Amino acid sequence: MELRPVKIGNVTVPGNVFLAPLAGFTDHAFREICLSLGAALCFTEMVSCKGLMYRNENTAVLLKTSDKETIKAAQIFGSEPDVMRAACESEYLSPFDIIDINMGCPVPKLFNNGEGSALMENMPLAEKIISECVKSGKTVTVKLRTGVKEEKPVAAEFARMCEGAGASLVTVHGRARSAYYSGAVNFAEIARTKNAVNIPVMANGGIFCKEDADEMIRLTGCDGVTVARGALYNPFIFCEISGKSHKKDFFEILVRQIDLLKTTYPDEWIARNMRKQAACYLKGVRGGKQAKVKLLSCNSTDEMKEIAREVFRAENFDV
Ligand SMILES: Cc1cc2nc3c(=O)[nH]c(=O)nc-3n(C[C@H](O)[C@H](O)[C@H](O)COP(=O)(O)O)c2cc1C
């Protein structure tokens, strides 16, 4: 794919390969690592606007940023336009240059509350949310799906509404809510969305290697790609897509990630929370299964580093 900057409202992002928001994963440490490996823009995981307005500390900590993030992008969710605008205007979101609104999350907890992908079936409310958030003065983007039901794609019409309401970019996950995270990506609907609007369109879904990214751009004509699970298993995917030279050292990445998190969280919390991330890095690694079992019971980051060192050394990684 051709690498080029993306203009999002008044913000120019230097490249067109982004890291998607991933709940439980895209904290400041992982974002900093992906940026260093070639991602041009990284989003926080989705944060609840209501949670912010109730000053919930567990919500606020998700918005911790790193100095390395020269352009900061947060993702928010909710269904009340005034609360969402207030969140955009709050001190919590003041460090962020870009606010992405989640209109794609499929989980029942949000969907049944009229949030996330439920908004794709409620265009008037979605429009009001976007226009209120835009009034805060923030650059607003929207992440959506092809629709709620696979047989009824509406992303193109929805994106047109987003543009009219003042959104500066949309990201289309090429699956419907009914498909959650599996199944084929609907390239045709992503392409239809790209052709329906003048704002930049990022394509998302099923990008696990450089060839997937090339194929996505070839089939959709989008302005860039947004990588999600592909980065959890292999954050070096950003070097691979953007042609940046790199040393593929998972052990080094894991240690860096742990050390960066130490500025925010207690050691035991990091050890527990990093288990799922470490398990992703171990996918397909010889001895990985046994290492995963050991990880499940480790309660300190030193223990975790030791388990990782053993298994990645056995794989003859240069650690
Ligand atoms: C564990 C997990 C957490 C996710 N969290 C979010 C989120 O917070 N906000 C969001 O918009 N999408 C979220 N997504 C969706 C991804 O951003 C992405 O749209 C989806 O995984 C499809 O891309 P992929 O096929 O490259 O993984 C999440 C997906 C997964 C698997």
Side-chain angles (χ1 to χ4, degrees):
M1 60 178 273
E2 188 196 334
L3 301 169
R4 50 188 157 93
V6 183
K7 198 158 179 332
I8 310 178
N10 54 10
V11 182
T12 300
V13 179
N16 54 350
V17 184
F18 296 177
L19 170 69
L22 286 153
F25 289 97
T26 53
D27 51 43
H28 66 88
F30 190 63
R31 299 198 308 273
E32 182 170 335
I33 281 166
C34 291
L35 281 171
S36 75
L37 294 174
L41 184 69
C42 301
F43 292 85
T44 69
E45 67 175 85
M46 57 179 174
V47 296
S48 158
C49 288
K50 262 195 183 155
L52 290 179
M53 292 299 90
Y54 287 126
R55 301 193 157 269
N56 180 321
E57 271 314 303
N58 294 334
T59 307
V61 77
L62 301 174
L63 293 173
K64 172 147 189 197
T65 60
S66 135
D67 293 344
K68 301 278 162 38
E69 292 181 283
T70 49
I71 304 173
K72 297 178 173 54
Q75 193 192 55
I76 58 171
F77 73 91
S79 63
E80 293 163 62
D82 51 336
V83 174
M84 296 184 75
R85 177 177 173 178
C88 289
E89 289 170 345
S90 72
E91 82 230 53
Y92 296 112
L93 292 175
S94 69
F96 291 91
D97 306 286
I98 295 169
I99 305 296
D100 187 57
I101 307 176
N102 184 318
M103 298 200 178
C105 183
V107 303
K109 205 172 116 192
L110 270 77
F111 187 83
N112 296 336
N113 227 8
E115 302 167 331
S117 58
L119 289 164
M120 292 201 73
E121 285 188 325
N122 190 348
M123 272 224 224
L125 179 58
E127 187 170 17
K128 181 87 180 131
I129 288 173
I130 298 166
S131 58
E132 282 302 311
C133 290
V134 168
K135 280 185 201 156
S136 72
K138 290 284 185 191
T139 297
V140 171
T141 62
V142 179
K143 184 155 176 284
L144 48 118
R145 284 180 173 252
T146 56
V148 170
K149 296 187 186 75
E150 228 161 324
E151 60 281 10
K152 198 170 165 251
V154 296
E157 292 76 4
F158 197 84
R160 215 176 289 128
M161 175 281 290
C162 294
E163 181 174 36
S168 298
L169 170 144
V170 292
T171 304
V172 191
H173 174 193
R175 298 185 181 95
R177 188 235 171 193
S178 53
Y180 269 62
Y181 301 111
S182 60
V185 168
N186 186 341
F187 296 107
E189 184 61 14
I190 303 178
R192 216 165 69 83
T193 309
K194 167 63 192 161
N195 291 327
V197 293
N198 293 311
I199 52 175
V201 177
M202 298 297 288
N204 166 244
I207 298 171
F208 290 91
C209 61
K210 177 178 171 19
E211 290 69 30
D212 292 337
D214 291 340
E215 181 81 338
M216 176 66 98
I217 296 299
R218 189 178 69 76
L219 293 174
T220 66
C222 279
D223 299 275
V225 293
T226 298
V227 180
R229 286 166 297 178
L232 299 182
Y233 294 111
N234 174 26
F236 303 97
I237 190 171
F238 295 109
C239 300
E240 288 155 14
I241 298 176
S242 58
K244 212 174 149 183
S245 72
H246 63 288
K247 184 168 141 229
K248 204 165 180 170
D249 184 342
F250 283 95
F251 178 69
E252 194 249 278
I253 288 292
L254 187 73
V255 169
R256 240 171 85 200
Q257 216 168 323
I258 288 171
D259 291 345
L260 286 168
L261 287 173
K262 282 188 179 169
T263 60
T264 316
Y265 297 104
D267 198 80
E268 197 185 332
W269 187 96
I270 301 170
R272 264 190 277 116
N273 201 59
M274 281 293 290
R275 287 172 188 168
K276 56 190 190 313
Q277 176 67 81
C280 288
Y281 293 159
L282 287 168
K283 192 168 183 249
V285 170
R286 212 178 323 120
K289 275 201 185 129
Q290 294 91 310
K292 274 186 214 169
V293 173
K294 283 194 200 165
L295 280 174
L296 281 179
S297 61
C298 88
N299 287 310
S300 79
T301 58
D302 282 346
E303 221 182 308
M304 174 169 274
K305 286 180 188 174
E306 211 34 58
I307 297 165
R309 184 194 303 276
E310 268 171 35
V311 67
F312 286 121
R313 268 220 176 111
E315 268 285 293
N316 294 322
F317 279 87
D318 184 16
V319 295

